[in-house]
Amino acid sequence: MSTQTWASVRSGRDAQSTQSLDTLVRAAFAPVAVRGVPSGRLVPAAEVVREGDDALVRLDLPGVDVAADVTVEVDGERLVVRGERKDTREESQRGRGLREVRYGAFRRVFTLPTSVTADAVSAGYDAGVLSVRVAGAHATTPARRIEITTAVPVVVAASGAESAEDGTEAAGSTPAE
């Protein structure tokens, strides 16, 4: 493999190298696709961590008016966060240039344990991060040992009467005559 200077790539002498470099740069800075979401759509970065028995979901939502444009809801066994980052730039600012900030509607869904109710979910917003706490999401009930009961074996005495091992007469037996 030969080494080429940047000047030879820029001059167009090696179109394949230019295309390879362009592909590499585009792939490095392309939006990350989230399962089921087409790339190019706004998908807030999420972090889910365990804090004791609680689950804490953090979503990066800088520049979003969470009071007006974001909802957090529990739908069955799903935590649904949806909203919109609105483009508030002036029309004159929308010229050509590099724009890495995505605008538009978003929706993120997280699966919850069956034991979680909407009362266990709380949300707060600070410094561009939406934090949703799901209390008791990782809570488990301690194992409890269950006593096994056994039937009392019945012994047939030489006289023909049935009695339990403890010497008492078994139910339904008839005394010997």
Side-chain angles (χ1 to χ4, degrees), residues 134-159:
V134 182
H138 295 287
T140 58
T141 55
R144 192 179 88 176
R145 187 177 180 125
I146 307 298
E147 184 180 335
I148 301 171
T149 58
T150 58
V152 179
V154 177
V155 178
V156 177
S159 65

Side-chain angles (χ1 to χ4, degrees), residues 108-147:
R108 295 295 308 261
V109 179
F110 305 90
T111 303
L112 296 172
T114 56
S115 61
V116 172
T117 64
D119 296 333
V121 178
S122 61
Y125 183 77
D126 185 38
V129 178
L130 176 68
S131 298
V132 181
R133 180 172 299 277
V134 182
H138 295 287
T140 58
T141 55
R144 192 179 88 176
R145 187 177 180 125
I146 307 298
E147 184 180 335

Side-chain angles (χ1 to χ4, degrees), residues 49-152:
V49 295
R50 181 177 182 165
E51 287 188 354
D53 285 343
D54 299 350
L56 184 62
V57 179
R58 293 187 191 108
L59 291 115
D60 289 338
L61 297 174
V64 176
D65 181 4
V66 293
D69 297 329
V70 176
T71 61
V72 177
E73 59 191 32
V74 175
D75 181 13
E77 294 176 7
R78 301 179 314 157
L79 172 68
V80 180
V81 179
R82 71 181 78 195
E84 182 176 6
R85 177 182 287 150
K86 295 180 179 173
D87 188 355
T88 58
R89 295 175 298 156
E90 296 290 326
E91 190 64 38
S92 62
Q93 296 175 336
R94 294 184 187 202
R96 300 194 93 173
L98 175 65
R99 182 173 82 175
E100 293 182 350
V101 176
R102 302 232 181 259
Y103 297 94
F106 63 87
R107 182 173 184 256
R108 295 295 308 261
V109 179
F110 305 90
T111 303
L112 296 172
T114 56
S115 61
V116 172
T117 64
D119 296 333
V121 178
S122 61
Y125 183 77
D126 185 38
V129 178
L130 176 68
S131 298
V132 181
R133 180 172 299 277
V134 182
H138 295 287
T140 58
T141 55
R144 192 179 88 176
R145 187 177 180 125
I146 307 298
E147 184 180 335
I148 301 171
T149 58
T150 58
V152 179

